[in-house]
Amino acid sequence: MLATHDSDTAQGPIGIFDSGFGGLTILREIRNVMPQYDYVYLGDNARTPYGTRSFELVYEFTRQAVRWLFARGCRLIVLACNTASAKALRSIQQIDLPALDPSRRVLGVIRPTAECIGHYTTSRHIGVLATPGTVRSRTYELEIAKLFPDVVVTSEACPMWVSLVENQEYASEGADYFVRKNIERLMERDSAIDSVILGCTHYPFLLPKIRQYMPAGVKVLPQGDFVAHSLENYLSRHPEMQQRVSTGGTCRFFSTDTPESFNEGAAWFLGDRVSAELAVLE
Ligand code: DGL
């Protein structure tokens, strides 16, 4: 069990975890929908990107992050990272949670996104743009097949996109080359696609370019809104968890990289001044 002096009913913030800045796109939507709660954002910026790493490493890094957020008092954590949701979530839920604290919860972003997609496509052909790790895991294919077996899913790995975002190059001319290349490849593989999931939380920062190169009529679906409403719904169905989330309306930011570089990035990404603190994961 997790070493904690809290009683079972003690309250804590909601933890939001990503490999870097991408989870800020999820945090922003969650806070829009539920501004009343307290949040702790943790970005593993020192070890980003996760999308090209092995299953074992993503699992180990994510497990460290979950333990760290639990130790900060979080009862509920959202892995605001598709790669971690695809590669680590199931093992954390099945292996780690029972040993750490079975009353706490760790949720991901893939299932809530899969639950919505069937309502957007009319051609029943959808595309997923994601990291190589998420694509290789085939988690989107598996989750969508369970919910909407008639939907054909084509996934395209975009290995450069996270680095473009993390390095604040997402609006540069260099980004055009990679965004166009991956979208063209996806649409060549299935021209009947009418809806495309942005299956990586970093990708909404590339949205203007993605919209520019996506064929007219194809819907581009960032997942922040899906995840935020799914979390709201989850809390309304689980009052025992809702009562354990504190409601001060605060948000603290932590990064495994220097606070200065996180603050600079967050100013770009959120358009907000934040004052991050260093997190040491082990
Ligand atoms: N934001 C992460 C995701 O949603 C990016 C992963 C990475 O670090 O490559 O997959």
Side-chain angles (χ1 to χ4, degrees):
M1 294 280 170
L2 195 73
T4 168
H5 303 292
D6 299 339
S7 70
D8 280 343
T9 53
Q11 291 189 322
I14 297 177
I16 309 281
F17 170 67
D18 181 48
S19 63
F21 292 115
L24 295 175
T25 64
I26 302 288
L27 174 72
R28 189 169 51 199
E29 298 297 332
I30 291 179
R31 289 189 81 198
N32 279 343
V33 173
M34 292 169 288
Q36 70 274 30
Y37 295 130
D38 292 315
Y39 297 92
V40 171
Y41 183 88
L42 172 61
D44 193 4
N45 300 77
R47 302 188 291 195
T48 196
Y50 280 14
T52 45
R53 295 187 188 272
S54 67
F55 171 90
E56 287 74 18
L57 269 183
V58 173
Y59 175 36
E60 180 52 28
F61 291 173
T62 307
R63 193 162 48 164
Q64 291 173 3
V66 165
R67 281 201 303 255
W68 189 92
L69 285 164
F70 278 171
R72 295 215 70 88
C74 299
R75 264 79 196 161
L76 175 64
I77 295 173
V78 178
L79 300 183
C81 174
N82 290 265
T83 311
S85 299
K87 293 189 160 197
L89 180 61
R90 183 180 291 257
S91 305
I92 285 173
Q93 287 173 335
Q94 293 179 353
I95 302 168
D96 297 286
L97 261 187
L100 287 171
D101 182 344
S103 76
R104 302 196 191 198
R105 288 290 172 268
V106 182
L107 308 175
V109 289
I110 295 182
R111 176 82 186 192
T113 308
E115 279 170 0
C116 295
I117 188 64
H119 310 301
Y120 283 87
T121 173
T122 25
S123 70
R124 311 312 278 169
H125 287 246
I126 68 141
V128 177
L129 296 166
T131 66
T134 300
V135 171
R136 265 199 308 274
S137 76
R138 298 190 58 77
T139 310
Y140 270 100
E141 282 82 347
L142 295 169
E143 290 296 335
I144 291 169
K146 281 187 225 158
L147 298 160
F148 306 104
D150 61 317
V151 170
V152 177
V153 182
T154 304
S155 296
E156 175 71 21
C158 310
M160 293 299 291
W161 291 19
V162 169
S163 299
L164 290 169
V165 172
E166 285 289 319
N167 293 295
Q168 292 155 38
E169 290 287 339
Y170 54 90
S172 71
E173 282 173 25
D176 285 67
Y177 171 80
F178 291 105
V179 170
R180 186 169 61 193
K181 177 168 135 181
N182 290 117
I183 289 176
E184 280 178 0
R185 271 205 211 154
L186 176 71
M187 296 310 295
E188 271 164 24
R189 290 172 56 208
D190 183 357
S191 60
I193 289 171
D194 70 352
S195 309
V196 173
I197 295 173
L198 301 188
C200 170
T201 56
H202 282 71
Y203 295 177
F205 293 117
L206 289 158
L207 209 43
K209 293 201 189 294
I210 294 171
R211 290 222 163 95
Q212 181 183 342
Y213 294 110
M214 196 63 79
V218 177
K219 296 183 206 85
V220 178
L221 305 171
Q223 59 192 163
D225 193 46
F226 303 149
V227 174
H229 285 100
S230 166
L231 184 62
E232 185 183 36
N233 183 272
Y234 173 85
L235 288 169
S236 72
R237 286 183 291 110
H238 292 89
E240 76 292 351
M241 180 55 78
Q242 189 167 33
Q243 283 153 15
R244 298 175 80 199
V245 179
S246 54
T247 53
T250 66
C251 188
R252 291 177 73 182
F253 294 89
F254 292 85
S255 172
T256 54
D257 200 351
T258 63
E260 295 73 30
S261 66
F262 188 89
N263 294 345
E264 194 188 309
W268 267 79
F269 295 115
L270 287 178
D272 258 354
R273 288 170 73 83
V274 308
S275 184
E277 297 157 69
L278 182 68
V280 178
L281 302 188
E282 49 196 14

